[in-house]
Amino acid sequence: MLFNSIDFAIFLPIVFVLYWFITSRNLKLQNLLLLVSSYIFYGWWDWRFLSVIVFSSFVDYLIGIKLQETENQKKRQRLLWTSIIVNVGFLGFFKYSNFFIDNFVTAFSLLGQDISQDNLNIILPVGISFYTFQTMSYTIDVYRKQLEPTKDIVAFFTYVAFFPQLVAGPIERARNLLPQFYLKRKFNYANATNGLRQMLWGLFKKIVIADNLSNYVELIYDNTSDVSSFNLILGLILFSIQIYADFSGYSDIAIGTARLFGFEFKINFRYPLFARSIGERWRNWHISLSTWFRDYIYIPMGGSRGDKWTKFKNLMILFTISGFWHGANWTFILWGVFNGLFFAPSMLLGNNRKYLEPIDTNKIFPSLKEAYLILQTFLLIAFTYIFFRAKNITHSYEYFLGILNNYNIPLYPSRLLNVYRIRSYDIALMMIFLIIMFSFEWFNRDKNHGLYFKENHKYPILRWSIYLFLIVIITLWPGKTENFIYFQF
Amino acid sequence: MHKFLIKSIILFGIFLGVNFLYLQVLKETDWSLSKVNRIMQFKNQDYDYIFLGASLTLDGIDAEYLTEKGIKAYNFGTQGTSIRSSYIQLEHYLKNNDNPEVVILGLGSLSKSYKDYKNEFEIALSYKHFYFENEWNFENLPLVKFRGSAIENFKQIVSKNHREAEFVRGQLRIKKKVVDKTNYKDKLDSIIHISDYKGASHLFKIDSICKLRGIKFILMEMPGFKKTQNLIPVGPHKLSDEKHDTLTLYNLNNKELVSKIIDSKNDWLGNSHLNQYGAKKLTEYLYNNILKHKNF
């Protein structure tokens, strides 16, 4: 089920009413309702793959209990590795089989041996990269004795499958989310309204910004030889905004939905488009994944301890894995490598922890220096999207060559705009909506989301007008319905 | 909780209210909706000639000119409409008004080289809304159903030519001028066999209700940009298949004719659509050469 679908618009109020009016007196029943709802939510896409979630949940639930029962270190390690092998095994099979087969065949053909091998027809279960990481974090934390294992099977299964974050995160740590299933939830008006606002803001970013931008991005990426250098650069900029609006929009809807049910997720995006350095950008982008990698891969490898070479090596491994997590394609690996290379100088010079706070919120505009740093960071990251959005390495190479060579092609691609049915009015409106998105996010840059209002906001009519305006724009101006980009990961 | 629910319901109610308001505004301002709405309410009208069709007709036929010449005419053309929609509109009109003498349907190309001739168009939204009962569902919310109209109204706000556009006897008069920069394809062409034309079934339906009431029904291929013009004579051409009576078609998209009466620099308002100057010239030709003599 997609957040931006009518199905979800019907599903959510039904679950909400059942949750707060029918099951609210019994915590176990309430959790069970969430579990059943989450499985319905997931099964709406494909029932068959529910078995993967159930199996993965069951393995980690059992391993958690077994880990508590034994102090034998070797046995504990075996249990941990069982969990990792099962979860990474699922991920490897569903997500990476074809990638490894293809590369295996290519490697042999380079050595002069032709192996004929058809790709396996494997469907990637939606959300598998997210929930396997979530359930693994539980087992690792129990293994490290940072978390008591749970015996409440319903709470644990619901923690793994909780529908707001099941298919594209945020990847919630058991330490944060699981205890919330043990406590009786009370409806909190301020939290719920804040959640609704955040959902509305997420829908606006997804439906109006990301889905409309996707048409422009498609035009440019699919016609690299027919558009000018300027437009190719513009394509990178637009894709940077699209992917941000798409994914942070999803996170906003997820976090907002959870608030409606009395749950609090960790923030997943902290206005990364306003970052002044690559370090700040990565601290504020897909935070739940970055911190997962940090805690379970980077720090165990040694992190930023050791000599400069070790630091560099660890960083590059981290970013390469991060790239590979996004997809089974060399383009993602290269994307990760370039991000690592851009990040490395600040880490080696020891200033990657600069800019821990947002730009002074009393300022209406950033200073010239800040504006320059924001633009520089934005463009550097945008450059890496040559690889991220390209179909394959050849495509990204063509894109790059196009930027260098297509300066003679007219700036205004009238024919293509016609083919993609983009009219001058669409461009004008798109610009207005981008200004709206950036303005709201800029002025709320120290808050949890772009549509944050204080509880006792002075101008309720203005606030309600904004809600209504956004709802009308979402209804009136949706882009072509696209899956959330991160569903494919 | 109650406060939350009440406020959510109020917000939902306001949203529905905005939908209702949007529809009322569109009924007054939107070219398609206001026009279909107006035509639907016609009672006891006694037009001699009515012109059906889509935007090519809407922009390209000057019904006022004909009325001045003594033929009481009205342009029923509506943006984005289909032959099926025209049929629905005509059927409804005939139930509530006097029979016209002639019904003329303006069409896009009926020549073989025209790649879209096999498209069958759905019933236009504006027709669906007014001529059918609407179910209560999300897709029927005015803000959802008439999304496209918001763009058209946005155009009216930002473009001077669109702001100044006016309806005169059903014709949408726009002064905007666009130069036809397309090239002739200059290949011999022929009219497609009528049974290959997917809208044919509704053409024959219109023909049969006209015949029942003694109304003359004529098809007219409307002029277009150079790239669409053909070398088929103006006609009249007789189109028929084994099952139906013959239809009469005039080809006003003949290259020689269009180059003679239409100025490629001043008479178009956009892709194959005539502006008010072009429309007057076309209607003048139509009157002097076809309608005046009633030789169809």
Side-chain angles (χ1 to χ4, degrees), chain A residues 51-61 87 90 131-132 135:
Chain A
S51 55
V52 181
I53 301 180
V54 173
F55 186 75
S56 180
S57 309
F58 193 66
V59 167
D60 284 290
Y61 172 74
N87 286 299
F90 273 139
Y131 65 74
T132 48
T135 179

Side-chain angles (χ1 to χ4, degrees), chain A residues 6 20 189 425 475-477, chain B residues 7 138 143 147 151 155:
Chain A
I6 296 299
W20 288 114
Y189 174 78
Y425 304 97
T475 323
L476 211 49
W477 197 257
Chain B
K7 285 199 172 181
F138 179 78
L143 281 171
R147 272 172 190 150
I151 300 291
K155 270 188 199 171

Side-chain angles (χ1 to χ4, degrees), chain A residues 144-307:
Chain A
R144 290 176 175 174
K145 297 187 176 170
Q146 292 169 339
L147 180 73
E148 279 287 306
T150 182
K151 288 190 176 147
D152 184 341
I153 192 164
V154 174
F156 181 74
F157 275 50
T158 317
Y159 154 72
V160 178
F162 191 27
F163 72 86
Q165 41 83 258
L166 173 61
V167 288
I171 302 167
E172 280 296 322
R173 300 297 178 78
R175 268 174 282 170
N176 173 51
L177 185 55
L178 195 52
Q180 296 185 50
F181 285 100
Y182 309 148
L183 301 171
K184 187 164 169 59
R185 273 89 61 181
K186 271 191 182 168
F187 182 81
N188 180 307
Y189 174 78
N191 254 346
T193 47
N194 192 24
L196 269 190
R197 277 185 216 125
Q198 192 162 3
M199 287 176 72
L200 180 59
W201 187 242
L203 285 168
F204 171 73
K205 284 199 282 187
K206 165 63 185 161
I207 295 174
V208 179
I209 304 291
D211 286 355
N212 277 305
L213 277 180
S214 77
N215 205 18
Y216 298 79
V217 172
E218 207 172 288
L219 181 157
I220 295 170
Y221 272 84
D222 289 355
N223 298 281
T224 43
S225 51
D226 298 328
V227 294
S228 66
S229 306
F230 173 81
N231 283 320
L232 287 168
I233 295 169
L234 184 67
L236 297 176
I237 293 170
L238 294 181
F239 182 65
S240 305
I241 301 171
Q242 185 202 343
I243 195 168
Y244 167 71
D246 191 286
F247 194 22
S248 73
Y250 181 91
S251 293
D252 279 337
I253 302 167
I255 296 168
T257 307
R259 283 204 170 116
L260 286 181
F261 293 92
F263 289 87
E264 199 60 43
F265 288 172
K266 296 274 188 204
I267 192 166
N268 209 22
F269 288 86
R270 207 179 282 116
Y271 312 105
L273 298 191
F274 302 140
R276 288 151 290 180
S277 68
I278 301 287
E280 187 185 12
R281 158 79 185 206
W282 274 106
R283 265 195 308 283
N284 296 332
W285 175 273
H286 200 178
I287 298 167
S288 63
L289 180 70
S290 311
T291 49
W292 197 100
F293 279 131
R294 183 196 64 200
D295 295 346
Y296 300 117
I297 295 180
Y298 184 62
I299 292 175
M301 275 194 309
S304 55
R305 282 166 295 175
D307 58 19

Side-chain angles (χ1 to χ4, degrees), chain A residues 6 16 20-21 187 189 192-193 196 260 423 425-426 429 464 468 471-472 475-478, chain B residues 1 3-5 7-8 10-11 14-15 18 22 138 143-144 147 150-151 154-155 158-159:
Chain A
I6 296 299
F16 181 86
W20 288 114
F21 291 97
F187 182 81
Y189 174 78
T193 47
L196 269 190
L260 286 181
R423 297 151 298 183
Y425 304 97
D426 298 313
L429 280 172
W464 277 63
L468 204 61
I471 294 171
V472 168
T475 323
L476 211 49
W477 197 257
Chain B
M1 175 58 94
K3 190 176 162 191
F4 178 80
L5 284 180
K7 285 199 172 181
S8 301
I10 290 174
L11 187 63
I14 294 174
F15 175 66
V18 169
Y22 177 67
F138 179 78
L143 281 171
V144 177
R147 272 172 190 150
I151 300 291
F154 181 66
K155 270 188 199 171
V158 295
S159 149

Side-chain angles (χ1 to χ4, degrees), chain A residues 458-474:
Chain A
K458 280 182 195 166
Y459 308 104
I461 293 177
L462 173 73
R463 207 176 63 224
W464 277 63
S465 306
I466 292 170
Y467 301 156
L468 204 61
F469 172 77
L470 290 175
I471 294 171
V472 168
I473 294 301
I474 288 167

